[in-house]
Each structure stands twice: as C-alpha cells, then as structure tokens.
Amino acid sequence: VQLVESGGGLVQAGGSLRLSCTASGFTLNDYAIGWFRQAPGKEREGVSCISSSDGSTYYAGSVKGRFTISSDNAENTVYLQMNSLTPEDTAVYYCGAGGQYYSGPYYGQCSPDYWGQGTQVTVSS
C-alpha cells in the first residue's frame, strides 16, 4: 500500500497548483481520500476530503471556494486543484486514505489509515 503525492512547488501569491495523489497496491475508490497540510510550527490540519461512498466533498473554511478535490478512478489518482494561493497556504501537503468522520466536530473530514510522504507547497508574497 503506497500513496505518492506530486505537484508541489513554488508559486507566487494568486497563482495555482494542482497536487496529485496516486495509489498503488489498493484502489483509491475503496477509501475516503483526504488532503492535509502542516505548516512549520503548526499542527497538521485537514484541508479537503472526498467520500468513497458518494463522492461528496469536504473543505476547510480557509480553502473553500479556492481548492477543489477530484478523483480519477481510471488513474487511481485524487487531485487537489489549488487556486488563488496565498502565503498562508504554504505547508507540506499530505494525502491520506482511510475512513471518514460522519458525526461530531470533525464531521466530513477524512480519518486516514495510510499516508503519503508529502509534497512541499511554497507561496511567495
């Protein structure tokens, strides 16, 4: 079981990036897939999640309207399109596969059992 992220890099504020999360050893469609990020000195936070059951999506308030999560089952890949990036989006971005919260304060967020190695996103001002 392996998840590999790609697509990170350096971009100016206002720019866009598309991150990819490709699975090997299992079918992504069998799991909820989430994107998380961790900035220096901060805890890891959930950014977005796509449900395995109905494809419904969750977005953190800080990225809603700017980021879009999608999946390509044929490619066994989940994408995170990030637009209107700001320096506050600078972080290591991780994808994770596993379950999803259906109640409580984390409702809609992913609860991964498997993690990728992360990809760095740096947004310059």
Side-chain angles (χ1 to χ4, degrees):
V1 173
Q2 188 176 18
L3 293 168
V4 178
E5 302 99 332
S6 61
L10 174 64
V11 63
Q12 288 188 332
S16 298
L17 284 173
R18 188 178 77 158
L19 304 183
S20 301
C21 172
T22 301
S24 60
F26 67 101
T27 302
L28 274 181
N29 197 36
D30 291 338
Y31 296 88
I33 307 300
W35 285 97
F36 296 74
R37 66 186 182 186
Q38 187 165 20
K42 295 187 177 181
E43 293 186 355
R44 187 175 297 188
E45 64 171 340
V47 173
S48 184
C49 180
I50 186 164
S51 171
S52 60
S53 59
D54 60 5
S56 60
T57 57
Y58 159 87
Y59 296 97
S62 59
V63 307
K64 195 172 292 185
R66 300 188 298 122
F67 291 11
T68 303
I69 191 170
S70 62
S71 63
D72 185 332
N73 293 336
E75 297 294 327
N76 214 26
T77 298
V78 170
Y79 302 98
L80 185 68
Q81 178 67 43
M82 306 186 297
N83 299 329
S84 302
L85 286 162
T86 73
E88 288 68 37
D89 295 315
T90 295
V92 178
Y93 283 70
Y94 301 88
C95 69
Q100 189 174 20
Y101 291 102
Y102 295 104
S103 64
Y106 299 106
Y107 177 80
Q109 295 190 44
C110 281
S111 176
D113 299 309
Y114 307 104
W115 293 93
Q117 82 289 349
T119 186
Q120 176 71 47
V121 172
T122 302
V123 185
S124 62
S125 57

